[in-house]
Amino acid sequence: MYDIVIIGSGPAGLSAAIYAQRENLKAVVVEKEFMGTGQIAESERVDNYPGLYGETGFDLGEKFRTHAEKLGAEFVEGEVTEVERVNGNFSVNIDGGESLETKTVIYAAGTQRRKLGVKGEKEFLGNGVSYCAVCDAAFYKDKITVVTGGGDTALGDALLLSRFCKKVYLVHRRDELRAAKSLQEALQALPNVEILWDTVATEIKGEDQVEALALKNVKTEETQELPVDGVFIAVGIVPVSRLLLGMDVCDEKGYLIAGEDGMTKKPGIFAAGDIRTKKLRQIVTAVADGANAITSVEAFLNHK
Ligand code: NAP
């Protein structure tokens, strides 16, 4: 019987694992990917985590993980298929048949990239459609690419791609970007990046590979077909909360409702990281959530 099963090995889950070890709690982290560190691995550069200026997301994630491992954290690889309440405790069922008995669960499964929802997106995934510029930018040396979205991720992706590609288009549905001003300034200074304002993608086209992106200007209704080799989709995030949807613990967008202490309305289930209802989804707030959740778990176990 574990004290805690931590679902997710991103910054929140790894921080919870570190704090659990420090409190001598019997904890295990269930991770979907072997040696995973969550979406942080897709950030090319993290400039807002105090003390580690200019670190790549991948390296920072590795540091979190190594730290947890050095303290003796236990990991299990697999996808959680069900969290069941059993005799006042929980059974966390993993694909492949393994089942972990635990007194509490910290849900730190984070978010995943939102789909654009246009024709060709699914069909060309891996053949010109990507959700991860850090993973795929190098395949587009001297090519033409397009990034959709106007947030931090889209601009970070466009900045990275501009170092490889001869031309990068940023397609944004409004006439104002949501991303941090520093990213906007950096992007607008680049000669090989062009922003297409008030524009939405309507279809990704090609034979075996992406060859063009069909676009529509939402103000003028004008349409055009842009010849491109790659389409990078960065239109936001959605919570990974499939498992919780029947439990009446999520808000209308699927985020797990909890305050800073991570307590949900189901006793014994705690939230940490991007999955939690909150204003600022950053690495620094995710690691804080992991620590706070362990404090709440301890208080819960002491009163159980
Ligand atoms: P985001 O901030 O939600 O931005 C999503 C962008 O996609 C917005 O510009 C939005 O347009 C656009 N969009 C959404 N749905 C669309 C659709 N169906 N068609 C076309 N465009 C669509 O998402 P994000 O950039 O992935 O960032 C997520 C969170 O992570 C944010 O809190 C962000 O600050 C954080 N983040 C931080 C860092 C960092 O600090 N280094 C890096 C990456 C991300 P509108 O603007 O019109 O809504």
Side-chain angles (χ1 to χ4, degrees), residues 39 43 45-49 111-118 148-156 171-180 183 199-201 234-237 255 274 279-283:
Q39 278 205 79
S43 271
R45 189 183 159 111
V46 180
D47 273 350
N48 53 5
Y49 192 80
T111 56
Q112 62 190 21
R113 294 278 188 105
R114 178 183 286 131
K115 304 285 181 286
L116 191 55
V118 298
T148 56
D152 288 339
T153 304
L155 269 72
V171 168
H172 183 41
R173 65 183 177 183
R174 289 191 293 137
D175 58 3
E176 201 185 346
L177 296 166
R178 178 184 292 274
L183 289 171
T199 301
V200 292
V235 293
I237 52 176
Y255 288 97
D274 284 1
K279 279 211 173 121
L280 187 63
R281 293 194 167 84
Q282 303 270 293
I283 301 164

Side-chain angles (χ1 to χ4, degrees), residues 3 17 24 40 54 65 69 89 93 96 147 157 177 180 192-195 211 214 222 242 261 277 279 284 295 304:
D3 291 320
N24 210 17
I40 183 178
R65 192 183 171 96
E69 284 171 353
N89 293 312
N93 303 327
V147 178
D157 287 357
L177 296 166
N192 62 338
V193 176
E194 184 178 336
I195 304 179
E211 289 167 18
E222 253 174 65
R242 287 182 298 279
D261 58 12
T277 45
K279 279 211 173 121
V284 77
T295 306
K304 206 167 150 56

